[in-house]
Amino acid sequence: MESITTQSDIDAAAWKALEDSIIYYCGHPVGTVAARDPDVEALNYNQCFVRDFVSSALIFLMNGQTEIVRNFLVETLALQSETKQMDYFNAGQGLMPASFKVATSYGEQYLTADFGEHAIARVTPVDSSLWWIILLRAYVKATGDIALAHQPEFQKGLILILKLCLADRFDMFPTILVPDGAFMIDRRMGVYGHPLEIQALFYAALRSARELLAPSRQGEIYTLIVNQRLSTLNYHIRKYYWLDIKRVNEIYRYRGEEFGEAAVNKFNIYPESIPYWLTEWMPEKGGYLAGNLGPAQMDFRFFAVGNLMAIICSLSSPQESQGIMDLIEQRWDDLVGNMPMKICFPAVEGLEWKILTGCDPKNVPWSYHNGGNWPVLLWMLVAAAQKTGRKEIGRRAIEIAEKRLCHDQWPEYYDGKNGRLIGKEARKYQTWTVAGYLVGKALMDNPSHLSLFSFDEDLESLEWSYHQMA
Ligand code: GLC
């Protein structure tokens, strides 16, 4: 490798790696591959993953390269309406693929998608549809091209996703009920039920959708439904997911078996389920949103994407957002360490690891999804830092990443309690690592880019709930 020493060398190397990852379809750029590691079998890393492409798309939009993002949105929309049935796996209408690739038949190119029916463990990409809406809004914000979103096919695609997410099911919570491995953590990790990451993306997607619905009778009806859901979801997450030392104390003294309306311990959380590490780890100042909540189940682990996206889309209150940044600052070594930042904390170990992961050797403690450090999370950390006026946190995080990422050839993830080791099975030249670094730097230099994907406190749905109660 040529010697890369200065910051501008690192940035140039990142741009080169990003350009090299672009996928062309019929001569046009449509996405980026997940990774280009020359030494490891590609598996599906040569495909364009919807969630991975978001990081690439954001830096392309910030850099004025809007065509690739438009093409991506158009092509994935076309894939959404494909008949998705194979081997008796049947995806709901409206689902967006986890990934796609260009294939050739008789010299003609076509796109082929994976909705989870090929993915390891056949996991459903619930987050893809949500990211797709968030990205469509970012594209419209960057280009002013609302006409694209208002096209009938785009409105149809948007409404199909809304229908899928807003459908009445057996569940009664305003959060969405999803299977295990439905997002970035796409393996069995005990993240089924109502995981925070999906709820934060759902919230951001609903807020995006409200801006994108074309004015029509149908648009009006969906705006009403979306407002109602935004307000109940916001209330539910802020009231029941928030954890700080005061809340932990309340839960510690909870009574169980309460029936009826006046129940304080609504989800019947037993104090004995509070893990010992939490009582020591929770700082005096600050807190975070719990990983998951269901009947007699509270996942006390800290999950980075859910918490950072909650800040970015104002799902957490302004005070809670400051509290999450306080926690990150005070538990820096655990959550950031040698590479920003940990996907979740702490790792599950021993029997718990066996039961929750099904003995997954890739998700051993402090590796990969089970407490590994993922450089792609840098952009979300910097964005959350900018949003909360805590610039210093973003600057420190970038400095840490800059020291290693390029030299280590842009690994997918790092291992170890403090993220010092390159992940055991991490790919090199992982595109969202590269793009995440560039987005983080761009956000640091120009905080106004934040408006592409962030939201202020939602006054519209608050007004809606005020009218309901009046
Ligand atoms: C792994 C990750 C997933 C990512 C994919 C491609 O499966 O768990 O989140 O989208 O790799 O990078």
Coordinates of all heavy atoms in Angstrom, one line a residue, residues 24-28 102 109-110:
Y24 N -22.9 -0.4 -11.6 CA -23.6 0.2 -12.8 C -24.6 -0.8 -13.3 O -24.4 -2.0 -13.4 CB -22.5 0.5 -13.8 CG -21.7 1.7 -13.4 CD1 -20.5 1.5 -12.6 CD2 -22.0 3.0 -13.7 CE1 -19.8 2.6 -12.1 CE2 -21.2 4.1 -13.3 CZ -20.1 3.8 -12.5 OH -19.4 4.9 -12.1
Y25 N -25.7 -0.2 -13.7 CA -26.8 -1.0 -14.4 C -27.1 -0.4 -15.7 O -27.5 0.8 -15.6 CB -27.9 -1.1 -13.4 CG -29.2 -1.8 -13.9 CD1 -29.1 -3.0 -14.6 CD2 -30.4 -1.2 -13.8 CE1 -30.3 -3.6 -15.0 CE2 -31.6 -1.7 -14.3 CZ -31.5 -3.0 -14.9 OH -32.6 -3.6 -15.4
C26 N -27.0 -1.1 -16.8 CA -27.2 -0.5 -18.1 C -26.5 0.8 -18.2 O -27.0 1.8 -18.7 CB -28.7 -0.3 -18.4 SG -29.6 -1.8 -18.3
G27 N -25.3 0.9 -17.7 CA -24.4 2.1 -17.9 C -24.7 3.1 -16.9 O -23.9 4.1 -16.9
H28 N -25.7 3.0 -16.0 CA -25.9 4.0 -15.0 C -25.6 3.6 -13.6 O -25.9 2.4 -13.2 CB -27.4 4.4 -15.0 CG -27.8 4.9 -16.4 ND1 -27.4 6.1 -16.9 CD2 -28.6 4.3 -17.3 CE1 -27.9 6.3 -18.1 NE2 -28.6 5.2 -18.4
V102 N -26.9 -6.9 -10.0 CA -27.1 -6.9 -11.4 C -26.8 -8.3 -11.9 O -25.7 -8.8 -11.6 CB -26.2 -5.9 -12.1 CG1 -26.4 -5.9 -13.6 CG2 -26.4 -4.4 -11.6
Q109 N -28.9 -7.1 -19.2 CA -28.8 -7.0 -17.7 C -30.2 -6.9 -17.1 O -31.1 -6.3 -17.7 CB -28.0 -5.7 -17.4 CG -26.6 -5.8 -17.7 CD -25.8 -4.6 -17.1 OE1 -26.3 -3.5 -16.9 NE2 -24.5 -4.9 -16.7
Y110 N -30.3 -7.4 -15.9 CA -31.5 -7.2 -15.1 C -31.1 -7.2 -13.6 O -30.0 -7.6 -13.2 CB -32.6 -8.2 -15.3 CG -32.2 -9.6 -15.0 CD1 -32.6 -10.2 -13.8 CD2 -31.4 -10.4 -15.8 CE1 -32.2 -11.5 -13.4 CE2 -31.1 -11.7 -15.5 CZ -31.5 -12.2 -14.3 OH -31.1 -13.5 -13.9

